Structure formats: C-alpha cells, structure tokens
Amino acid sequence: QVQLVESGGGTVQSGGSLRLSCVVSGTQYISNDYRLGWFRQAPGQKRVGVAAIDNDGGAAYAEPVKGRFIISKVSAENTLYLQMNSLTPEDTAMYYCAALPVPAAILVQDPSYAQGDDFGYWGQGTQVTVSS
C-alpha cells in the first residue's frame, strides 16, 4: 500500500518561486533500488522527468530546469521536495512525484518510463501555473 501525495502547487507570476512537497507512505514496501523523482506534463505533451534523486543523495536534472530547480528529500519525514525558482510560463504543467526502479540520471533523460502509472508508484499530481 504505497501512496504518494503531492502538495504545494498553485499559480505564480513569471520569475517567482514555488516549493512542492511529496509525502510517501508505505515506504517499507518500496525496494531499495527505487529512486524518487519529479515529473511534469503540460497539455498535449508527454510526461517527462524533471528532477530525480538517488538513495545516496545524488541528484539529476533535466536541462530546462538545471540551475533553477532543486530536489531534496528528508527521509525521516518520508518527504520529497522540489524547490522551483525563476519560473517561466514554460514550466506550467501538472507535476507528479514518483518512485521507480530506474537510476536518477535516466529518469530525467528517457521519458518512456513516465508515460503510464502502471510502472512504479505515482502520485495524483499538483498543478503549477506560471503567468507572464
């Protein structure tokens, strides 16, 4: 009974910041080869990886968000975070957190793993809208 619940989405102006949170329940049922990550899907677009983190704390980012977004986790609280800075309208999307048995670097490079909820564990998403 693994469950991931995102929060923190909303509407912000271009150039603003937002922090997303993801609380993971049932972590005892997640194998240690699973990594945590953030994904996003804009209308009419594929869902793609944005940021992911390995169990040793190493992080990987998709090129469009590199230098602007920071992924982190607090294991004691079973919580994953995504700090988003310098937001632009291109960042507007539904943001999802997920756990998948794929290295962090691959999660942000290969979107094939993010096209359905049947592989890995996925949250329901939180909407982020950036106005110009």
Side-chain angles (χ1 to χ4, degrees):
Q1 45 180 302
V2 176
Q3 184 174 331
L4 295 84
V5 180
E6 306 95 333
S7 63
T11 301
V12 298
Q13 291 183 253
S14 182
S17 297
L18 206 60
R19 188 179 74 164
L20 306 183
S21 300
C22 173
V23 177
V24 184
S25 300
T27 56
Q28 65 268 42
Y29 301 107
I30 304 178
S31 299
N32 59 12
D33 60 342
Y34 276 65
R35 284 76 162 182
L36 296 173
W38 288 97
F39 302 77
R40 68 185 183 187
Q41 184 172 29
Q45 304 290 318
K46 291 182 177 179
R47 185 161 63 181
V48 298
V50 174
I53 189 166
D54 285 316
N55 290 332
D56 65 356
Y61 300 92
E63 191 64 32
V65 309
K66 192 171 297 182
R68 299 188 297 120
F69 290 12
I70 301 172
I71 187 172
S72 62
K73 64 179 179 180
V74 179
S75 297
E77 299 176 356
N78 296 318
T79 304
L80 181 73
Y81 298 97
L82 183 67
Q83 178 66 46
M84 304 183 293
N85 301 315
S86 301
L87 288 163
T88 74
E90 288 69 40
D91 296 315
T92 294
M94 183 73 73
Y95 283 72
Y96 303 83
C97 64
L100 300 97
V102 180
I106 302 301
L107 289 177
V108 301
Q109 292 179 299
D110 186 351
S112 66
Y113 297 102
Q115 303 314 302
D117 289 3
D118 55 340
F119 183 69
Y121 303 102
W122 293 83
Q124 292 299 303
T126 185
Q127 179 67 40
V128 171
T129 301
V130 184
S131 61
S132 60

